[in-house]
Amino acid sequence: HGIRQMRTPWADGPEYVTQCPIRPGGSYTYRFTIENQEGTLWWHAHSRWLRATVYGALVILPKQGSNFPFSLPQKDIPVLLGEWWNRDIIAVQRQAQFTGAAPNISDAYTINGQPGDLYRCSSQGTVKYSVNAGETVLLRVINAALNQQLFFSVANHMLTVVGVDATYNKPFTTNVIMVGPGQTTNVILTANQSPGRYYMAARAYATVRNGQFDNTTTTAILEYTSIKSGANSRPLLPQLPAFNDTATATAFANRLRSIPNNIRVPKQIDENLFFTVGLGLVNCNPGPRCQGPNNTRFAASMNNISFVFPRRTSLLQAYYQKIPGIYTLDFPRVPPVQFDYTGNVSRGLWQPRFGTKLYKLKFGSNVQIVLQDTAIFSTEDHPIHLHGYHFWVVGQGFGNFNARTDTANFNLIDPPVRNTIDVPVGGWAVIRFVADNPGVWLFHCHIDSHLAWGLSMAFVVENGIGEKQTMEPPPPDLPQC
C-alpha cells in the first residue's frame, strides 16, 4: 500500500485490477523497486475482506549514508491499529452482501494484534513497550482497520508528527492524531514523564449520522524501565476525543505541511476532474436480500457510477492485451447531474448506475481531482486511496466545493503529500498529481464495506516514450482467472 510501483503495475496487487486472485495453494512473487520513497507504508491482502487480518508494516529506511531529517530516535516501533471480528470475516462479508444491509460491526480494535486491557478476553496479552527515561521513540502508526477511522494518543505524552504516508512533513506537536484506514503517521515521543506505566490508546472517529460503530478502545502499555517496584500498576489512560469530534480531526489535518523540495506542485492543469463520493440505496422487492433502510440495498459510487469488478480477467491484462468487453473508457469527468451535494438530496438521485468504467490519462498530464462528499443517506468522512501514486492535497473544506472562491485558498507552496486522503464529512478535498506511471490504477474508498458496495473507479495511464516511461510486460507467474 503506497509503493509507487514505477513501471511495475503487475506488482500492485488488487484483485481483478492488476491481477487475478492468487488461487488457494498457489503463489505469486511481487517484484518491484522502491524509488524515491522513505518512511512508513504497509502491505495487506486486496482480495475480498481478507486484509482484516492479512497485513503488516513496510518500513523504508533512509539510504546508506543518508539520515532522517530529525535526530535519530533511540527506539523505532511500528504500531499497527487493526480491527477484529469474533466471526470468520468472509462470513461477515457474505452476510452483508446477501442482505444488502450494513455489515456487523467489529468486536474489538487491536494494537499489533492485541485488543488490550479494556477487553475481558485479552488482558494477559496486552502489548507492552519498555522505554528508558529521556529516550526518544519513533512510533510508526498505521491504520490497518477494515472500516474505521481512529484517534490515537499516549497518556501524558506529546507526539511530534514528522511524516505521513512515507513522506516527511514540517514537524508539529500534538497530543492526539487521527489516522484514516490506509494512512500512516510517524510521530516522535520523548519519554519525559514520571517513571510509570502509560496507555497508548485508539478508538473510533465516527461520522455517519445514526450509524452503528464499534465504540470500544484498544490499548497497549508504555512502561518506563525505572519504575519503582510497588508503584501503582494501573496505567494512566489518555483522554481521547469524542467519537464525532470533527473539529479535532480537522485541526490535525490542517497542520500538515510538506517539506518543500525540487518537485513542484503542478500549477497548470491538463485534466480537471470533479468526483462525488458517497453512499446510495438500490430499490428492490422486500425480502431477505433487501434488508437495508426501508427495504433497499446499500450501494456506493463515484459520480453516480457504482464500480463493478470484472471476473474473466484483470483490468490491467485486458488493457495490455487489448481484450474487448471487459471495461469501457467513459467514466464521467464530472457528476452526470449537479445538485446540492451536502444538502437535502432528492430521493431520485439516491440510486447509482452500475458499470466497469475507467478514465484514460495521457502520460505526463497534470491532474486535479475535486473529491466531494454527498449527503445521500448520510454525509461521511471517506478515506480515498490512489494506487501507484502519491499526490498533493492542495485544499480541503466543508459544504459544496466552489471553484470561484475555494481555488484562491489552495496551498501550492507546501501542501501535504499523501497516498490516502480523508475527504471531510460533508465537505471536499482537492488533490493534484502528475500522471507519470503507466498502468491501470485503482482509486477507491479504503473503508472496505464501501469498496464492496462500489465506491471506486480506475485510471488508465498510457505509456510515454522510451523505456523509463513504459510499463514492463507481465511476469510469467502472474495469477490467471
Side-chain angles (χ1 to χ4, degrees):
H1 176 112
I3 294 289
R4 286 293 317 271
Q5 299 291 2
M6 300 299 292
R7 302 172 303 283
T8 54
W10 308 102
D12 189 41
E15 64 176 351
Y16 302 114
V17 179
T18 61
Q19 64 171 85
C20 295
I22 302 169
R23 295 179 182 274
S27 67
Y28 176 47
T29 301
Y30 293 89
R31 301 173 179 87
F32 55 92
T33 302
I34 297 172
E35 298 181 35
N36 302 316
Q37 289 186 275
E38 190 176 300
T40 306
L41 295 173
W42 61 301
W43 59 268
H44 61 80
H46 219 301
S47 178
R48 297 183 289 175
W49 286 6
L50 293 175
R51 82 167 180 86
T53 56
V54 184
Y55 61 84
L58 189 58
V59 174
I60 308 169
L61 297 173
K63 285 184 178 180
Q64 197 164 10
S66 299
N67 298 307
F68 294 118
F70 44 82
S71 298
L72 184 69
Q74 275 98 7
K75 282 192 169 69
D76 189 329
I77 303 173
V79 179
L80 287 109
L81 309 178
E83 199 170 4
W84 174 260
W85 280 257
N86 288 333
R87 290 180 60 204
D88 170 16
I89 191 61
I90 299 302
V92 173
Q93 181 185 14
R94 284 177 177 155
Q95 180 185 21
Q97 288 177 326
F98 177 82
T99 64
N104 290 341
I105 61 174
S106 55
D107 296 287
Y109 301 112
T110 59
I111 294 179
N112 288 353
Q114 293 291 339
D117 282 351
L118 305 187
Y119 302 85
R120 286 178 300 172
C121 63
S122 65
S123 59
Q124 299 305 309
T126 299
V127 174
K128 295 183 178 69
Y129 298 108
S130 295
V131 294
N132 299 314
E135 278 187 329
T136 55
V137 184
L138 177 59
L139 300 177
R140 300 175 182 269
V141 184
I142 301 165
N143 186 348
L146 201 68
N147 292 324
Q148 192 62 61
Q149 293 86 343
L150 295 166
F151 288 117
F152 174 86
S153 185
V154 182
N156 282 22
H157 290 75
M158 298 300 286
L159 307 173
T160 300
V161 180
V162 294
V164 294
D165 293 0
T167 60
Y168 296 115
N169 60 264
K170 294 176 180 176
F172 66 92
T173 301
T174 178
N175 64 342
V176 64
I177 63 174
M178 197 288 285
V179 194
Q183 292 183 331
T184 73
T185 303
N186 283 5
V187 299
I188 293 176
L189 174 150
T190 302
N192 57 6
Q193 296 300 301
S194 300
R197 305 172 81 229
Y198 301 87
Y199 277 129
M200 56 177 69
R203 75 174 185 185
Y205 167 51
T207 58
V208 179
R209 253 192 338 265
N210 302 319
Q212 289 188 318
F213 63 94
D214 180 348
N215 63 2
T216 60
T217 302
T218 181
T219 56
I221 296 173
L222 188 76
E223 184 174 82
Y224 282 64
T225 56
S226 55
I227 186 172
K228 295 177 181 176
S229 60
N232 183 8
S233 61
R234 184 70 177 176
L236 286 171
L237 188 67
Q239 185 173 352
L240 287 160
F243 296 115
N244 62 349
D245 191 347
T246 294
T248 293
T250 303
F252 172 72
N254 287 344
R255 295 183 70 185
L256 289 169
R257 294 286 186 271
S258 64
I259 297 175
N261 55 29
N262 294 329
I263 304 173
R264 303 294 180 192
V265 184
K267 304 290 198 302
Q268 300 298 318
I269 300 302
D270 304 308
E271 292 278 2
N272 199 351
L273 309 177
F274 188 114
F275 293 176
T276 55
V277 295
L279 305 182
L281 296 174
V282 176
N283 297 319
C284 55
N285 296 321
R289 295 187 64 87
C290 295
Q291 297 184 41
N294 301 315
N295 297 312
T296 60
R297 293 179 59 84
F298 269 111
S301 68
M302 288 186 172
N303 277 357
N304 203 45
I305 304 298
S306 188
F307 193 76
V308 178
F309 287 86
R311 288 295 185 268
R312 282 197 290 134
T313 187
S314 72
L315 295 171
L316 185 59
Q317 283 177 284
Y319 170 67
Y320 189 84
Q321 298 170 1
K322 297 181 173 57
I323 301 172
I326 304 299
Y327 62 85
T328 58
L329 289 171
D330 56 347
F331 185 87
R333 60 185 299 123
V334 296
V337 177
Q338 290 189 345
F339 56 96
D340 180 4
Y341 305 112
T342 55
N344 190 11
V345 184
S346 165
R347 287 292 179 119
L349 297 173
W350 283 38
Q351 180 159 317
R353 294 184 295 133
F354 295 84
T356 310
K357 297 178 182 293
L358 279 56
Y359 192 90
K360 184 182 284 190
L361 296 171
K362 288 184 178 180
F363 184 92
S365 57
N366 294 333
V367 184
Q368 174 175 290
I369 307 175
V370 176
L371 294 164
Q372 173 71 60
D373 186 28
T374 76
I376 296 175
F377 180 71
S378 172
T379 55
E380 185 172 358
D381 178 294
H382 293 281
I384 305 295
H385 172 53
L386 177 57
H387 285 242
Y389 285 85
H390 48 220
F391 46 75
W392 291 275
V393 183
V394 298
Q396 294 184 85
F398 291 98
N400 299 334
F401 176 74
N402 185 320
R404 289 196 308 276
T405 58
D406 292 326
T407 303
N409 296 319
F410 283 176
N411 177 5
L412 303 179
I413 306 300
D414 58 356
V417 178
R418 306 214 66 142
N419 62 54
T420 305
I421 174 62
D422 264 278
V423 178
V425 53
W428 51 269
V430 181
I431 66 172
R432 291 185 179 185
F433 64 94
V434 179
D436 60 357
N437 193 11
V440 177
W441 305 105
L442 188 62
F443 190 45
H444 68 97
C445 183
H446 219 277
I447 294 175
D448 273 32
S449 58
H450 295 181
L451 175 60
W453 289 337
L455 215 172
S456 62
M457 57 83 66
F459 288 105
V460 174
V461 180
E462 298 177 303
N463 281 326
I465 300 171
E467 182 181 351
K468 290 189 175 182
Q469 297 182 5
T470 304
M471 59 183 282
E472 294 180 0
D477 61 339
L478 185 73
Q480 303 298 313
C481 293

